[in-house]
Amino acid sequence: MKYKKIIITIALLATAVGFWVDTSESALEPPQSAAVIEQDDTAPSKPKVVKPMPAKTMTVVEKLPQPISNSFQLMAEAYASELELPSYSMPLSVDDSHLLNPNAYIPQPVQLQDGASASIVLPKYRFSFPEPVVINLEVNGLLVTGASAALHSELTSGSEPLISETMLGADGKWAIQLNAEEDWNGPMEVSVTFRAKGKKQTLKTGIEYSHPTATITGVGDIRAEGSDMLIPVKLDVEQAGYYRLRANLYTADKQPIALLTGSDKLTEGSVVLDLKAYKGVLAQYKGPYVLSTFVLERRPAVPGELTQYGHSEEPAYELGDFAVESLSDEPWQPDEQEMQRLEFLQKMAAD
């Protein structure tokens, strides 16, 4: 009950703060008009008696949220379901578009006047040196007479772009390829400026550009290790550090099987980082298997340091066939921390 009282208290405080913001909003609005007070100095004026205003009373109606235990019950059930399979080998389906295409750029159309719209369209969100950045501008319902694109580094405060080029196109579709330069590294802002009806308008979006800190060069022979199919991924590491690798496992006909995740502290040079596919997600799929869709991250070592990225020499690697029946049937056991989280949620749901 102690936890519930604390959470209810926080909810009541949030309610009070929300009420104060709502009633104080008018004080933030700019004045609509200025009143001019004129005084007649030729005749003395009698002092006016100001009657005290009666004190205003405010009634606050407290509304408690729905039983918090119900929310914790749902959280506990969802987390328990996740713990049925290891986090390093999570099943994939054709509906998991964000996992199947983790580097996809999703255009966001901007509404303009008279029902027109414009959007920046990019082939992906994250780029690796020396890849060029291809920028497309799509405009609907408006005649564009000229367009240009520029890149700015978000790590420097200068207003000068890293590069700026005129876009080519017509009929609402404009494009440009910006070839990479050595100093491109880190988060960047893409800006596209175009003219229509004599007015200049600018759209902006963000991308990541990096010099690879490590490169995936291939995979070794897959083998059985307990209840897991172990996949040794070969890397050439340029900057030592703590790395996380995520990759998707597919059948030969491109049917998604699982999202595999592996982490390790890697030294410079040629190293191996293991990925594991749990038997529980492999059982209904037959080989040969393919490993693809890589996201290789060098994690920040200290607060304030940016995540850096690696890349793969090839978009996919064939793994060949594998005897899934050779894996043991031992059930997956969550670690101590995962069990403690589950026990906490279950306790909160029971209170």
Side-chain angles (χ1 to χ4, degrees):
M1 292 301 291
K2 177 174 68 175
Y3 296 103
K4 186 181 295 184
K5 290 179 180 178
I6 293 173
I7 293 174
I8 292 176
T9 301
I10 294 173
L12 291 176
L13 287 173
T15 302
V17 171
F19 178 84
W20 179 84
V21 171
D22 183 66
T23 56
S24 303
E25 186 176 0
S26 59
L28 301 177
E29 296 177 357
Q32 300 301 316
S33 62
V36 178
I37 302 176
E38 296 182 355
Q39 293 184 346
D40 184 3
D41 296 332
T42 59
S45 59
K46 296 181 180 180
K48 294 182 179 180
V49 179
V50 180
K51 295 181 180 180
M53 296 292 290
K56 293 183 178 180
T57 60
M58 180 176 65
T59 302
V60 178
V61 180
E62 295 181 356
K63 294 183 179 180
L64 295 178
Q66 292 294 321
I68 298 176
S69 60
N70 291 347
S71 299
F72 277 105
Q73 179 64 36
L74 293 174
M75 293 170 63
E77 291 174 357
Y79 192 62
S81 177
E82 290 182 4
L83 294 184
E84 293 178 0
L85 293 171
S87 59
Y88 60 77
S89 178
M90 300 302 296
L92 274 178
S93 74
V94 293
D95 297 324
D96 296 321
S97 58
H98 63 295
L99 299 176
L100 297 175
N101 300 285
N103 198 19
Y105 176 84
I106 302 175
Q108 301 293 330
V110 177
Q111 298 303 311
L112 306 175
Q113 292 181 347
D114 302 325
S117 65
S119 59
I120 296 175
V121 181
L122 304 174
K124 54 186 176 181
Y125 168 73
R126 190 177 301 112
F127 297 81
S128 295
F129 185 83
E131 290 178 329
V133 177
V134 178
I135 303 172
N136 294 275
L137 169 67
E138 295 185 359
V139 182
N140 295 309
L142 199 61
L143 179 61
V144 174
T145 57
S148 62
L151 281 182
H152 290 79
S153 172
E154 294 187 0
L155 300 179
T156 59
S157 57
S159 58
E160 288 296 321
L162 297 173
I163 189 172
S164 179
E165 298 285 350
T166 300
M167 303 181 76
L168 300 177
D171 299 328
K173 294 184 181 296
W174 299 72
I176 188 66
Q177 175 176 298
L178 303 179
N179 294 322
E181 299 180 3
E182 283 286 344
D183 58 347
W184 291 13
N185 198 26
M188 291 188 176
E189 179 187 83
V190 176
S191 63
V192 173
T193 301
F194 61 93
R195 288 188 174 275
K197 293 185 177 181
K199 295 182 179 180
K200 184 172 70 173
Q201 304 198 55
T202 300
L203 304 181
K204 296 181 179 180
T205 190
I207 63 170
E208 290 278 352
Y209 201 100
S210 62
H211 287 246
T213 58
T215 301
I216 298 171
T217 59
V219 295
D221 294 332
I222 54 179
R223 65 181 187 273
E225 187 178 85
S227 57
D228 297 315
M229 178 179 75
L230 190 142
I231 307 168
V233 180
K234 301 176 181 179
L235 299 101
D236 185 7
V237 179
E238 294 188 14
Q239 293 186 34
Y242 187 80
Y243 281 82
R244 179 175 68 180
L245 172 61
R246 289 175 290 177
N248 292 340
L249 184 67
Y250 298 87
T251 61
D253 58 357
K254 301 298 179 65
Q255 185 175 4
I257 301 174
L259 168 63
L260 310 182
T261 304
S263 301
D264 204 354
K265 188 174 183 179
L266 304 180
T267 59
E268 292 184 6
S270 298
V271 298
V272 171
L273 197 160
D274 292 332
L275 295 177
K276 295 184 293 183
Y278 182 59
K279 182 177 182 177
V281 301
L282 288 175
Q284 56 182 319
Y285 300 99
K286 295 182 179 180
Y289 302 101
V290 177
L291 193 66
S292 183
T293 323
F294 304 99
V295 179
L296 180 60
E297 302 168 286
R298 182 181 181 272
R299 311 295 288 171
V302 294
E305 187 178 70
L306 296 175
T307 298
Q308 296 174 288
Y309 296 90
H311 70 158
S312 176
E313 287 184 345
E314 300 293 337
Y317 296 94
E318 296 182 359
L319 304 179
D321 284 310
F322 180 79
V324 177
E325 61 275 11
S326 66
L327 301 176
S328 67
D329 293 323
E330 57 187 279
W332 159 250
Q333 295 294 331
D335 62 28
E336 184 177 350
Q337 289 185 342
E338 291 170 328
M339 291 303 301
Q340 288 176 351
R341 294 190 194 102
L342 178 60
E343 290 171 2
F344 170 78
L345 292 174
Q346 290 173 336
K347 176 178 174 58
M348 295 297 292
D351 286 343

